[in-house]
Amino acid sequence: MNVKKFPTSKGHVSFSEVKNWAECPFRHYLMYVEKINVYQDNPYADFGTIIHDSIESYLNGQEFDLEKINLNLETIWAEKGYDSPEYIKEVRDQRSSNGWKYNHESLEDYKKSAETIIFDFKTFMDETFPGWQPISAEVELYEPLNDELKFKGFIDCVIAKPKSPGSDKIEYWIIDWKTTGSKGWFYKKKKEFLSLAQVGLYKSYWAKKYNIPLKDIKTGYVFLKRGAKPGKSCELLPVTSGPKFIEKADTLVEKMITNVQKGTKLKNYNNCTFCSYKETEHCSGKGW
């Protein structure tokens, strides 16, 4: 397959792209083939980026800097007006049109959440992964899928720890940080293959890249929860990612590549609720 003929005109695919395709092939077509960008900045994503960056710095040997975190939050909130009446009304009207309530979180709420998370983080890591040592943060993957395409991704964190207390045997953990609301993911999402497949793919490609046996690698998501009480803001969701799980994830990627190459772009109206193209000129999102 010639990359130039691949509909996205890119030489790689990422998990976010695969997930978008699995949720709705037509959304993937609009986003990655037609390259129609309707993304809107939001405080949840910006808060997540700031927290991710802070943890990355910590894993690279720097202490958490709450003053810097607060300054970054203040700068973005001022720039994007997340506490302005206009923004609050826009989001509230949007949520209301879908039958949802909107509880606004102010800049001060986000500052308090950031402080709780970073003060909980060290204790959480020590208690959850006794004897842990950071291996690397923001590990780039750019691994071959076939003769033409590669899988691109960034692993948030890789750590090593003893397999058991006092053991000389080491196990690795591939971790992805997820900033969430105070309760983390809903129960159903914690069980959905598509929500969990990301760390399975990361495990597969990282193991190949560094020649590490799959049995020595564990995977999981760590929820960094806004609005949670002190001592409760970090939560591990371990993901069992054995050979069958990884095979299923690999098959999902292969299926996505095959169907995008064929030009298949069916609409999945079951996933319209949170779609940014819903009720725009690009897609009605009104169902069948």
Side-chain angles (χ1 to χ4, degrees), residues 157-169:
C157 177
V158 180
I159 66 170
K161 64 174 287 293
K163 284 193 172 183
S164 59
S167 173
D168 292 332
K169 295 182 178 180

Side-chain angles (χ1 to χ4, degrees), residues 60-206:
N60 286 328
Q62 301 178 36
E63 287 299 317
F64 283 118
D65 187 341
L66 184 59
E67 184 176 342
K68 181 179 179 181
I69 291 171
N70 285 338
L71 179 60
N72 288 337
L73 288 169
E74 291 168 2
T75 299
I76 288 178
W77 256 245
E79 176 187 334
K80 300 184 180 180
Y82 288 144
D83 275 348
S84 68
E86 295 80 11
Y87 180 82
I88 295 171
K89 182 179 185 305
E90 178 185 350
V91 177
R92 182 168 285 132
D93 290 348
Q94 185 183 50
R95 297 291 180 91
S96 177
S97 68
N98 286 291
W100 312 323
K101 292 182 179 180
Y102 173 61
N103 296 315
H104 181 68
E105 297 174 62
S106 69
L107 171 60
E108 293 306 313
D109 293 327
Y110 279 93
K111 284 183 177 181
K112 184 176 180 180
S113 291
E115 182 176 4
T116 301
I117 289 169
I118 65 171
F119 277 109
D120 281 353
F121 186 81
K122 299 176 186 179
T123 301
F124 164 78
M125 292 296 291
D126 290 341
E127 292 180 350
T128 308
F129 308 103
W132 74 283
Q133 294 292 331
I135 299 299
S136 49
E138 280 297 296
V139 184
E140 183 174 10
L141 297 171
Y142 202 68
E143 311 308 312
L145 290 167
N146 53 40
D147 291 340
E148 303 291 346
L149 285 174
K150 296 183 183 295
F151 178 86
K152 181 178 182 179
F154 290 90
I155 302 174
D156 285 343
C157 177
V158 180
I159 66 170
K161 64 174 287 293
K163 284 193 172 183
S164 59
S167 173
D168 292 332
K169 295 182 178 180
I170 296 296
E171 67 182 20
Y172 298 92
W173 275 83
I174 288 177
I175 299 171
D176 193 83
W177 317 116
K178 297 292 185 188
T179 48
T180 71
S182 61
K183 296 181 180 179
W185 282 357
F186 293 113
Y187 177 80
K188 182 180 178 182
K189 188 171 183 179
K190 290 181 178 180
K191 300 294 182 180
E192 287 177 344
F193 172 75
L194 192 57
S195 298
L196 306 178
Q198 180 179 7
V199 288
L201 288 168
Y202 286 177
K203 171 179 174 176
S204 176
Y205 293 120
W206 188 79

